[in-house]
Amino acid sequence: MPKLTLKYLLPCLLLSGMSLITVAEPLPLDHKQIQKIMAQLHIPGAAIGVVQNGKVIAAQGFGVKTLGKKAPIDANSIFKIASNTKAFTAAALAILVDEEKISWNSKVQDYLPDFKLHDPWVTKEFNLIDLLTHRSGLGLGAGDLMLWPEPSSFSRAEVLHNLRHLKPTGEFRADYAYDNLLYIVASEIIPAVTGMSWEAFVEKRIIQPLAMEHCFAGNVSPQKLKHIATPHGMVDGELHTIIRPIDPEKPSVSAPAGGIQCSLNDMLTWVTVQLNQGQTATGKPLFSEAQHKMMWAPHTIMPVSWRSKHFDNTHLSAYGLGWRINDMDGYLQVHHTGSLAGMYSFVSLFPELDLGFVVLTNQQSSAARSALMYTVMKPYLGDANTDWLAKFRPSNKTAANQHTNKSEKHTVPIDLNHADAKAYIGTYEDPWLGRFVIELSDNSENALLKIKALRIEKFVGKLFLIENSNRVLIRWDDRSLEADAIIDFNRNELGNIIGMTLAPASKDVDFSYDFQDLNFTKL
């Protein structure tokens, strides 16, 4: 029988309703190690903060907002928090549940009649909790190509409508598979019942009451533009800024799943409210204790990774409403990460210790994000000795420092001398992503075949034949995408091309590039 230490007692105390708080002494940020992580993993800037017992005990910027410029990161620098936005969307719905304008168990079609999934029975049974818990039966990242790479030409209404074309790969309410589209659907509940956009509601009912002056669900105010950190990424072995041309007159379609921009100071305010079960500094609740419990309750069982087992002694993992929930070193951890082109974030809370951490970076390195968080967080959990840079640094230095597409090897650019070049040329249509066109890159004799998506500005690239196969590689012109794809052309019994399917060119391509969900017909 195991010794009844604090680690074994905590789960029992939680289930019994008792409270037991262990207060650790505030620990200083390890500046030397933080700077070492940033230098070795090429992070231009980071903002790191800690909340303990309702007080901010650390809030500091490191590095610069933009590569090659001197403006430093500080606690008011504005970062994209990516999927840490999901907790805001869940909280917005929780506020409406408190006001009895919606119910968690109500069916989605009660509010959004155009909501339709591939399976009619699942469509009928789908409720609001299902929207937020990654248990729809859809595949990992299904339909994300309507959101990313930005800018997206799709509207939220189109995202809602196009769900019907996505075929399930798992069991409804049984299999966990992370999705973003259903958070877009969840956001559409808000205008359906209030007449306010998701952006307006989140800013009026969450951001403004918490006095989060450097946090925006919509566009950043002109007065705060100077605080914005620039996104960065490794392109062909070099660190570059990553710029996505965004239309300021058009709401970001992906915003409810990952679009909030926020400073460290404001994220620490948000963390404090979360740890205080919805209570604000003024004593007025943002959402009720009942809704707090609902958002932090385990709704979908998640697998426990090898890394979590060995680094964190994790036994159980689950998804709540906008939050991941598991045990770490004997304590309850409520957390989430965020990943967007050029910006990564990490929020980690330990309610039994009244302790919260925020890490924001302006470079798309998951290794750096984790190494920074663990370096700050783990000493509070009893481990002040592990070198987390060594643990998280990619084993292959090349993989850590540059994007290498293995499929680029042994390829030949396709020109009109290729036997099937003229057969490839044409317009192809997918039911939900629209049309792609294969055409000549120019009118010269040496013109190459290129492909472009009519609705995704960044999807323009050259075609290459993969040697010793009938497969074709798409090499996107924008190398920061890190998302090259493979084409397989479909032919009829006469050998004529009638369509094509796509697949990621490498296992390292982010899951949101869900090329495998596309099925093009040649027009």
Side-chain angles (χ1 to χ4, degrees), residues 314-395:
T314 297
H315 302 86
L316 297 171
S317 182
Y319 203 91
L321 305 182
W323 293 99
R324 297 185 180 107
I325 302 153
N326 57 266
D327 62 307
M328 176 183 278
D329 297 330
Y331 298 103
L332 173 66
Q333 181 195 27
V334 181
H335 63 108
H336 215 289
T337 54
S339 306
L340 275 178
M343 289 205 174
Y344 278 16
S345 64
F346 199 154
V347 174
S348 183
L349 312 178
F350 294 88
E352 296 140 345
L353 302 176
D354 201 3
L355 187 62
F357 304 88
V358 176
V359 170
L360 308 172
T361 72
N362 63 354
Q363 210 269 69
Q364 54 191 43
S365 168
S366 58
R369 171 178 62 192
S370 295
L372 290 170
M373 175 57 82
Y374 274 62
T375 295
V376 176
M377 171 180 68
K378 280 289 193 171
Y380 286 88
L381 305 179
D383 181 355
N385 298 316
T386 299
D387 181 350
W388 295 106
L389 173 59
K391 292 288 188 182
F392 286 103
R393 182 197 291 120
S395 57

Coordinates of all heavy atoms in Angstrom, one line a residue, residues 314-395:
T314 N 2.1 11.7 -14.9 CA 0.7 11.8 -15.2 C 0.0 10.5 -15.3 O 0.5 9.6 -16.0 CB 0.5 12.6 -16.4 OG1 1.0 14.0 -16.2 CG2 -1.0 12.8 -16.8
H315 N -1.2 10.3 -14.7 CA -2.0 9.1 -14.8 C -3.2 9.2 -15.7 O -3.6 8.3 -16.4 CB -2.4 8.6 -13.4 CG -1.2 8.4 -12.5 ND1 -0.7 9.4 -11.7 CD2 -0.5 7.3 -12.2 CE1 0.3 8.9 -11.0 NE2 0.4 7.6 -11.3
L316 N -3.9 10.4 -15.6 CA -5.2 10.6 -16.3 C -5.1 12.0 -16.9 O -4.6 13.0 -16.4 CB -6.3 10.6 -15.3 CG -6.6 9.2 -14.6 CD1 -7.6 9.4 -13.5 CD2 -7.0 8.2 -15.5
S317 N -5.8 12.0 -18.1 CA -5.9 13.3 -18.8 C -7.2 13.4 -19.5 O -7.8 12.4 -20.0 CB -4.8 13.3 -19.9 OG -4.8 14.6 -20.6
A318 N -7.8 14.6 -19.5 CA -9.1 14.8 -20.1 C -9.2 16.2 -20.6 O -8.4 17.1 -20.4 CB -10.2 14.6 -19.0
Y319 N -10.3 16.5 -21.4 CA -10.6 17.8 -21.9 C -11.9 18.3 -21.3 O -12.9 17.6 -21.2 CB -10.7 17.8 -23.4 CG -10.5 19.2 -24.0 CD1 -9.2 19.6 -24.4 CD2 -11.5 20.1 -24.2 CE1 -8.9 20.8 -25.0 CE2 -11.3 21.4 -24.7 CZ -10.0 21.7 -25.1 OH -9.7 23.0 -25.6
G320 N -11.8 19.6 -20.8 CA -13.0 20.2 -20.2 C -13.7 21.0 -21.3 O -13.9 20.6 -22.4
L321 N -14.0 22.3 -20.9 CA -14.6 23.2 -21.9 C -13.6 24.3 -22.1 O -13.5 25.2 -21.3 CB -15.9 23.8 -21.4 CG -17.0 22.8 -21.0 CD1 -18.3 23.5 -20.5 CD2 -17.3 21.8 -22.1
G322 N -12.7 24.1 -23.1 CA -11.7 25.1 -23.4 C -10.4 24.9 -22.6 O -9.5 25.7 -22.7
W323 N -10.4 23.8 -21.8 CA -9.2 23.6 -21.0 C -8.8 22.1 -21.0 O -9.7 21.2 -21.1 CB -9.5 23.9 -19.5 CG -9.6 25.4 -19.3 CD1 -10.8 26.1 -19.1 CD2 -8.6 26.4 -19.1 NE1 -10.6 27.4 -18.9 CE2 -9.2 27.6 -18.9 CE3 -7.2 26.3 -19.1 CZ2 -8.5 28.8 -18.6 CZ3 -6.5 27.5 -18.9 CH2 -7.1 28.7 -18.7
R324 N -7.5 21.8 -20.9 CA -7.1 20.4 -20.7 C -6.9 20.2 -19.2 O -6.5 21.1 -18.5 CB -5.8 20.2 -21.4 CG -5.9 20.3 -22.9 CD -4.6 19.9 -23.6 NE -4.7 20.0 -25.1 CZ -4.1 20.9 -25.8 NH1 -3.4 21.8 -25.2 NH2 -4.3 20.9 -27.1
I325 N -7.1 19.0 -18.7 CA -7.1 18.7 -17.3 C -6.4 17.4 -17.1 O -6.6 16.4 -17.7 CB -8.6 18.6 -16.7 CG1 -9.4 19.9 -17.0 CG2 -8.6 18.2 -15.3 CD1 -10.8 19.6 -17.1
N326 N -5.4 17.4 -16.2 CA -4.7 16.2 -15.8 C -4.0 16.3 -14.5 O -4.1 17.4 -13.8 CB -3.6 15.9 -16.9 CG -2.6 17.0 -17.1 OD1 -2.8 17.8 -18.0 ND2 -1.6 17.0 -16.3
D327 N -3.4 15.3 -14.0 CA -2.6 15.3 -12.8 C -1.1 15.5 -13.2 O -0.6 14.9 -14.2 CB -2.8 14.1 -11.9 CG -2.3 12.8 -12.6 OD1 -2.8 12.5 -13.7 OD2 -1.6 12.1 -12.0
M328 N -0.4 16.3 -12.4 CA 1.0 16.5 -12.7 C 1.7 16.5 -11.3 O 1.4 17.3 -10.5 CB 1.3 17.8 -13.4 CG 2.8 18.2 -13.6 SD 3.2 19.8 -14.3 CE 3.0 19.3 -16.1
D329 N 2.6 15.6 -11.1 CA 3.4 15.4 -9.9 C 2.5 15.5 -8.7 O 2.8 16.0 -7.6 CB 4.4 16.6 -9.8 CG 5.5 16.5 -10.9 OD1 5.7 15.4 -11.4 OD2 6.0 17.5 -11.4
G330 N 1.3 14.8 -8.8 CA 0.4 14.7 -7.7 C -0.6 15.9 -7.5 O -1.4 15.9 -6.6
Y331 N -0.5 16.9 -8.4 CA -1.4 18.0 -8.3 C -2.3 18.1 -9.5 O -1.9 17.7 -10.6 CB -0.7 19.3 -8.2 CG 0.2 19.4 -6.9 CD1 1.6 19.2 -7.0 CD2 -0.4 19.7 -5.7 CE1 2.4 19.3 -5.9 CE2 0.4 19.8 -4.6 CZ 1.8 19.6 -4.7 OH 2.6 19.7 -3.5
L332 N -3.5 18.7 -9.3 CA -4.4 18.9 -10.5 C -3.8 20.1 -11.3 O -3.5 21.1 -10.8 CB -5.8 19.3 -10.0 CG -6.8 19.8 -11.0 CD1 -7.1 18.7 -12.0 CD2 -8.0 20.4 -10.4
Q333 N -3.7 19.8 -12.6 CA -3.2 20.8 -13.5 C -4.3 21.1 -14.5 O -4.9 20.2 -15.1 CB -2.0 20.4 -14.3 CG -1.4 21.5 -15.3 CD -0.4 20.9 -16.3 OE1 -0.4 19.7 -16.6 NE2 0.5 21.8 -16.7
V334 N -4.6 22.4 -14.7 CA -5.6 22.9 -15.7 C -4.8 23.8 -16.7 O -4.2 24.7 -16.2 CB -6.7 23.6 -15.1 CG1 -7.7 24.1 -16.2 CG2 -7.4 22.8 -14.1
H335 N -4.8 23.4 -18.0 CA -3.8 24.1 -18.8 C -4.3 24.1 -20.3 O -5.3 23.4 -20.6 CB -2.5 23.4 -18.7 CG -2.5 22.0 -19.2 ND1 -1.9 21.6 -20.4 CD2 -3.0 20.9 -18.7 CE1 -2.0 20.3 -20.5 NE2 -2.7 19.8 -19.5
H336 N -3.6 24.8 -21.1 CA -3.8 24.8 -22.6 C -2.6 25.4 -23.2 O -1.9 26.3 -22.6 CB -5.1 25.6 -23.0 CG -5.8 24.9 -24.1 ND1 -5.3 25.0 -25.4 CD2 -6.9 24.2 -24.2 CE1 -6.1 24.3 -26.2 NE2 -7.1 23.9 -25.5
T337 N -2.3 25.0 -24.5 CA -1.3 25.7 -25.3 C -2.0 26.3 -26.5 O -3.2 26.1 -26.7 CB -0.3 24.6 -25.8 OG1 -1.0 23.6 -26.5 CG2 0.5 24.0 -24.7
G338 N -1.3 27.2 -27.1 CA -1.7 27.9 -28.3 C -0.7 27.9 -29.4 O 0.5 28.2 -29.1
S339 N -1.0 27.6 -30.6 CA 0.0 27.6 -31.7 C -0.6 28.2 -33.0 O -1.6 27.7 -33.5 CB 0.3 26.1 -32.0 OG 0.7 25.4 -30.9
L340 N 0.0 29.3 -33.4 CA -0.3 30.0 -34.6 C 1.0 30.3 -35.3 O 2.1 30.3 -34.7 CB -1.1 31.3 -34.4 CG -2.6 31.2 -34.2 CD1 -3.2 32.5 -34.0 CD2 -3.3 30.6 -35.5
A341 N 0.9 30.6 -36.6 CA 2.1 30.9 -37.4 C 2.9 32.0 -36.7 O 2.4 33.1 -36.6 CB 1.7 31.3 -38.8
G342 N 4.1 31.7 -36.2 CA 4.9 32.7 -35.6 C 4.7 33.0 -34.1 O 5.5 33.8 -33.6
M343 N 3.7 32.5 -33.5 CA 3.4 32.8 -32.1 C 2.9 31.6 -31.4 O 1.9 31.0 -31.8 CB 2.5 33.9 -32.0 CG 3.0 35.3 -32.4 SD 2.2 36.6 -31.6 CE 3.3 38.0 -32.1
Y344 N 3.5 31.2 -30.2 CA 3.1 30.1 -29.4 C 2.8 30.6 -28.0 O 3.5 31.5 -27.5 CB 4.1 29.0 -29.4 CG 4.1 28.1 -30.6 CD1 3.4 28.4 -31.7 CD2 4.8 26.9 -30.5 CE1 3.4 27.6 -32.8 CE2 4.8 26.0 -31.6 CZ 4.1 26.4 -32.8 OH 4.1 25.5 -33.8
S345 N 1.9 30.0 -27.3 CA 1.5 30.4 -25.9 C 1.3 29.1 -25.1 O 1.1 28.0 -25.6 CB 0.3 31.2 -25.9 OG -0.9 30.5 -26.4
F346 N 1.3 29.3 -23.7 CA 1.2 28.2 -22.8 C 0.6 28.8 -21.5 O 1.2 29.7 -20.9 CB 2.5 27.5 -22.5 CG 2.4 26.1 -22.0 CD1 3.5 25.2 -22.2 CD2 1.4 25.7 -21.2 CE1 3.5 23.9 -21.7 CE2 1.3 24.4 -20.6 CZ 2.4 23.5 -20.9
V347 N -0.5 28.3 -21.0 CA -1.1 28.7 -19.8 C -1.3 27.4 -18.9 O -1.8 26.4 -19.4 CB -2.5 29.4 -19.9 CG1 -3.1 29.7 -18.6 CG2 -2.3 30.7 -20.7
S348 N -0.8 27.5 -17.7 CA -0.8 26.3 -16.8 C -1.2 26.8 -15.4 O -0.6 27.7 -14.8 CB 0.6 25.7 -16.7 OG 0.5 24.5 -16.0
L349 N -2.3 26.1 -14.8 CA -2.8 26.5 -13.5 C -2.8 25.3 -12.6 O -3.0 24.1 -13.0 CB -4.3 26.9 -13.7 CG -4.6 28.0 -14.8 CD1 -6.1 28.3 -14.8 CD2 -3.8 29.2 -14.6
F350 N -2.5 25.6 -11.3 CA -2.6 24.5 -10.3 C -3.5 25.1 -9.2 O -3.0 25.8 -8.2 CB -1.1 24.3 -9.8 CG -0.3 23.6 -10.8 CD1 0.5 24.4 -11.7 CD2 -0.2 22.2 -10.9 CE1 1.3 23.8 -12.6 CE2 0.6 21.6 -11.9 CZ 1.3 22.4 -12.7
P351 N -4.8 24.8 -9.2 CA -5.7 25.4 -8.3 C -5.5 25.0 -6.9 O -5.7 25.9 -6.0 CB -7.1 24.9 -8.8 CG -6.8 23.7 -9.7 CD -5.4 24.0 -10.3
E352 N -5.0 23.8 -6.6 CA -4.7 23.5 -5.2 C -3.6 24.3 -4.6 O -3.5 24.5 -3.3 CB -4.3 22.0 -5.1 CG -5.5 21.1 -5.5 CD -5.0 19.9 -6.3 OE1 -3.8 19.9 -6.8 OE2 -5.8 19.0 -6.5
L353 N -2.7 24.8 -5.4 CA -1.6 25.7 -5.0 C -1.9 27.1 -5.2 O -1.1 28.0 -4.9 CB -0.3 25.3 -5.7 CG 0.1 23.8 -5.5 CD1 1.4 23.6 -6.4 CD2 0.4 23.5 -4.1
D354 N -3.1 27.4 -5.7 CA -3.5 28.8 -6.1 C -2.3 29.5 -6.9 O -1.8 30.5 -6.6 CB -3.8 29.7 -4.8 CG -4.6 30.9 -5.2 OD1 -5.0 31.0 -6.3 OD2 -4.8 31.7 -4.2
L355 N -2.0 28.8 -7.9 CA -0.7 29.1 -8.7 C -1.0 29.0 -10.2 O -1.6 28.0 -10.7 CB 0.3 28.0 -8.3 CG 1.8 28.2 -8.8 CD1 2.4 29.5 -8.3 CD2 2.6 27.0 -8.3
G356 N -0.5 30.0 -10.9 CA -0.7 30.0 -12.4 C 0.5 30.6 -13.1 O 1.2 31.4 -12.6
F357 N 0.7 30.1 -14.3 CA 1.9 30.5 -15.1 C 1.4 30.8 -16.5 O 0.5 30.2 -17.1 CB 2.9 29.3 -15.2 CG 3.4 28.8 -13.9 CD1 2.7 27.8 -13.2 CD2 4.5 29.3 -13.3 CE1 3.1 27.3 -12.0 CE2 4.9 28.8 -12.1 CZ 4.2 27.8 -11.4
V358 N 2.1 31.8 -17.1 CA 1.8 32.2 -18.5 C 3.1 32.3 -19.3 O 4.1 33.0 -18.7 CB 1.0 33.5 -18.6 CG1 0.8 33.9 -20.1 CG2 -0.3 33.4 -17.9
V359 N 3.2 31.7 -20.4 CA 4.4 31.9 -21.3 C 3.9 32.3 -22.7 O 3.0 31.6 -23.3 CB 5.2 30.6 -21.4 CG1 6.3 30.7 -22.5 CG2 5.9 30.3 -20.1
L360 N 4.4 33.4 -23.2 CA 4.0 33.9 -24.5 C 5.3 34.0 -25.3 O 6.3 34.6 -24.8 CB 3.3 35.2 -24.5 CG 2.1 35.3 -23.6 CD1 1.6 36.7 -23.5 CD2 0.9 34.4 -24.1
T361 N 5.4 33.5 -26.6 CA 6.6 33.7 -27.4 C 6.2 34.2 -28.8 O 5.1 33.9 -29.3 CB 7.4 32.4 -27.5 OG1 6.6 31.5 -28.4 CG2 7.6 31.7 -26.2
N362 N 7.1 34.9 -29.4 CA 6.9 35.3 -30.8 C 7.7 34.5 -31.8 O 8.2 35.1 -32.8 CB 7.1 36.8 -31.0 CG 8.6 37.2 -30.7 OD1 9.4 36.4 -30.3 ND2 8.9 38.5 -30.9
Q363 N 7.8 33.2 -31.6 CA 8.4 32.3 -32.5 C 7.7 30.9 -32.4 O 7.3 30.5 -31.3 CB 9.9 32.1 -32.2 CG 10.8 31.8 -33.5 CD 11.0 30.3 -33.7 OE1 10.0 29.7 -34.1 NE2 12.2 29.8 -33.6
Q364 N 7.5 30.2 -33.5 CA 6.7 29.0 -33.5 C 7.5 27.8 -33.2 O 7.7 26.9 -34.0 CB 6.0 28.9 -34.9 CG 7.0 28.9 -36.1 CD 6.2 29.0 -37.4 OE1 5.3 29.8 -37.5 NE2 6.6 28.3 -38.4
S365 N 8.0 27.8 -32.0 CA 8.8 26.6 -31.5 C 8.1 26.0 -30.3 O 8.1 26.6 -29.2 CB 10.2 27.1 -31.1 OG 10.9 26.1 -30.4
S366 N 7.6 24.8 -30.5 CA 7.0 24.1 -29.4 C 8.0 23.6 -28.3 O 7.7 23.6 -27.1 CB 6.2 22.9 -29.9 OG 7.0 22.0 -30.6
A367 N 9.2 23.3 -28.8 CA 10.3 23.0 -27.9 C 10.6 24.1 -26.9 O 10.7 23.9 -25.7 CB 11.5 22.5 -28.6
A368 N 10.7 25.3 -27.5 CA 11.0 26.5 -26.6 C 9.9 26.8 -25.7 O 10.1 27.1 -24.5 CB 11.3 27.7 -27.5
R369 N 8.7 26.7 -26.2 CA 7.5 27.0 -25.3 C 7.5 26.0 -24.1 O 7.3 26.5 -23.0 CB 6.2 26.8 -26.2 CG 4.9 26.8 -25.3 CD 3.7 26.7 -26.2 NE 3.7 25.5 -27.0 CZ 2.8 25.2 -28.0 NH1 2.0 26.1 -28.4 NH2 2.8 24.0 -28.6
S370 N 7.7 24.8 -24.4 CA 7.7 23.8 -23.3 C 8.8 24.0 -22.3 O 8.7 23.9 -21.1 CB 7.6 22.4 -23.8 OG 6.5 22.1 -24.6
A371 N 10.0 24.2 -22.9 CA 11.2 24.4 -22.1 C 11.1 25.6 -21.2 O 11.5 25.5 -20.0 CB 12.5 24.5 -23.0
L372 N 10.5 26.7 -21.7 CA 10.4 27.9 -20.9 C 9.3 27.6 -19.8 O 9.6 28.0 -18.6 CB 9.9 29.0 -21.8 CG 11.0 29.6 -22.7 CD1 10.4 30.6 -23.7 CD2 12.1 30.3 -21.9
M373 N 8.2 27.0 -20.1 CA 7.2 26.8 -19.1 C 7.7 25.9 -18.0 O 7.5 26.1 -16.8 CB 5.9 26.2 -19.8 CG 4.8 25.8 -18.8 SD 4.3 27.1 -17.7 CE 3.1 27.9 -18.8
Y374 N 8.3 24.8 -18.4 CA 8.8 23.8 -17.4 C 9.9 24.4 -16.5 O 10.0 24.1 -15.3 CB 9.3 22.5 -18.1 CG 8.1 21.5 -18.3 CD1 7.1 21.9 -19.1 CD2 8.1 20.3 -17.7 CE1 6.0 21.0 -19.4 CE2 7.1 19.4 -17.9 CZ 6.1 19.8 -18.8 OH 5.0 18.9 -19.0
T375 N 10.8 25.2 -17.1 CA 11.8 25.9 -16.3 C 11.3 26.8 -15.3 O 11.8 26.8 -14.1 CB 12.7 26.7 -17.3 OG1 13.4 25.8 -18.2 CG2 13.8 27.5 -16.5
V376 N 10.2 27.4 -15.5 CA 9.5 28.3 -14.6 C 8.6 27.6 -13.6 O 8.6 27.8 -12.4 CB 8.7 29.4 -15.3 CG1 8.0 30.3 -14.3 CG2 9.6 30.3 -16.2
M377 N 7.9 26.6 -14.1 CA 6.8 25.9 -13.4 C 7.4 24.8 -12.4 O 6.9 24.7 -11.3 CB 5.9 25.3 -14.4 CG 4.8 24.4 -13.8 SD 3.7 23.8 -15.2 CE 4.9 22.7 -16.1
K378 N 8.3 24.0 -12.9 CA 8.6 22.8 -12.2 C 9.3 23.0 -10.8 O 9.0 22.2 -9.9 CB 9.5 21.9 -13.0 CG 8.8 21.1 -14.0 CD 8.0 19.9 -13.4 CE 7.5 18.9 -14.4 NZ 6.9 17.7 -13.8
P379 N 10.0 24.1 -10.6 CA 10.6 24.3 -9.2 C 9.5 24.5 -8.2 O 9.7 24.1 -7.0 CB 11.3 25.6 -9.4 CG 11.8 25.6 -10.8 CD 10.7 25.0 -11.6
Y380 N 8.3 25.0 -8.6 CA 7.2 25.1 -7.6 C 6.6 23.7 -7.3 O 5.9 23.5 -6.3 CB 6.1 26.0 -8.2 CG 6.4 27.4 -8.2 CD1 7.1 28.0 -9.2 CD2 6.0 28.2 -7.1 CE1 7.4 29.4 -9.2 CE2 6.3 29.6 -7.1 CZ 7.0 30.1 -8.2 OH 7.3 31.5 -8.2
L381 N 6.9 22.7 -8.1 CA 6.4 21.4 -7.9 C 7.4 20.4 -7.3 O 7.2 19.2 -7.3 CB 5.8 20.8 -9.2 CG 4.8 21.6 -9.9 CD1 4.3 21.0 -11.2 CD2 3.6 21.9 -9.0
G382 N 8.6 21.0 -7.0 CA 9.6 20.2 -6.3 C 10.8 19.8 -7.1 O 11.7 19.1 -6.6
D383 N 10.8 20.3 -8.4 CA 12.0 19.9 -9.2 C 12.7 21.2 -9.7 O 12.3 21.8 -10.6 CB 11.5 19.1 -10.4 CG 12.7 18.7 -11.3 OD1 13.8 19.1 -11.1 OD2 12.4 17.9 -12.3
A384 N 13.8 21.5 -9.0 CA 14.5 22.7 -9.4 C 15.8 22.4 -10.1 O 16.7 23.2 -10.3 CB 14.9 23.5 -8.1
N385 N 16.0 21.1 -10.4 CA 17.3 20.6 -11.0 C 17.3 20.2 -12.4 O 18.4 20.3 -13.1 CB 17.9 19.5 -10.1 CG 18.1 19.9 -8.7 OD1 18.6 21.0 -8.4 ND2 17.6 19.0 -7.7
T386 N 16.2 19.8 -12.9 CA 16.2 19.3 -14.3 C 16.5 20.4 -15.3 O 15.9 21.5 -15.2 CB 14.8 18.6 -14.6 OG1 14.6 17.5 -13.7 CG2 14.8 18.1 -16.0
D387 N 17.3 20.0 -16.3 CA 17.6 20.9 -17.4 C 16.5 20.7 -18.5 O 16.6 19.7 -19.3 CB 19.0 20.7 -18.0 CG 19.3 21.6 -19.2 OD1 18.4 22.3 -19.6 OD2 20.5 21.6 -19.6
W388 N 15.5 21.5 -18.5 CA 14.4 21.3 -19.4 C 14.7 21.6 -20.9 O 14.0 21.1 -21.8 CB 13.1 22.1 -18.9 CG 12.7 21.5 -17.6 CD1 12.8 22.1 -16.4 CD2 12.0 20.3 -17.4 NE1 12.3 21.3 -15.4 CE2 11.8 20.2 -16.0 CE3 11.7 19.2 -18.2 CZ2 11.2 19.0 -15.5 CZ3 11.1 18.1 -17.7 CH2 10.8 18.0 -16.3
L389 N 15.7 22.5 -21.1 CA 16.2 22.7 -22.4 C 16.7 21.4 -23.0 O 16.4 21.0 -24.2 CB 17.3 23.8 -22.5 CG 18.0 24.0 -23.8 CD1 17.0 24.4 -24.9 CD2 19.1 25.0 -23.7
A390 N 17.4 20.6 -22.2 CA 18.0 19.4 -22.7 C 16.9 18.4 -22.9 O 16.9 17.6 -23.9 CB 19.0 18.8 -21.7
K391 N 15.8 18.4 -22.1 CA 14.7 17.5 -22.3 C 13.9 17.7 -23.6 O 13.4 16.8 -24.2 CB 13.8 17.6 -21.1 CG 14.4 17.0 -19.8 CD 14.5 15.5 -19.8 CE 14.9 15.0 -18.4 NZ 15.1 13.5 -18.4
F392 N 13.7 19.0 -23.9 CA 12.7 19.4 -24.9 C 13.5 19.7 -26.3 O 12.8 19.7 -27.3 CB 11.8 20.5 -24.5 CG 10.8 20.1 -23.6 CD1 10.9 20.5 -22.2 CD2 9.6 19.5 -24.0 CE1 9.9 20.1 -21.3 CE2 8.6 19.1 -23.1 CZ 8.8 19.4 -21.8
R393 N 14.7 20.0 -26.2 CA 15.4 20.3 -27.4 C 15.3 19.2 -28.4 O 15.6 18.0 -28.1 CB 16.9 20.6 -27.1 CG 17.7 21.1 -28.4 CD 19.2 21.0 -28.2 NE 19.7 22.0 -27.2 CZ 20.3 21.7 -26.1 NH1 20.5 20.4 -25.8 NH2 20.8 22.6 -25.3
P394 N 15.0 19.5 -29.7 CA 14.9 18.4 -30.7 C 16.3 17.7 -30.8 O 17.3 18.4 -30.7 CB 14.6 19.1 -32.0 CG 13.8 20.3 -31.5 CD 14.5 20.7 -30.2
S395 N 16.3 16.4 -30.9 CA 17.5 15.6 -30.9 C 18.3 15.9 -32.2 O 19.5 15.9 -32.2 CB 17.2 14.1 -30.9 OG 16.4 13.7 -31.9

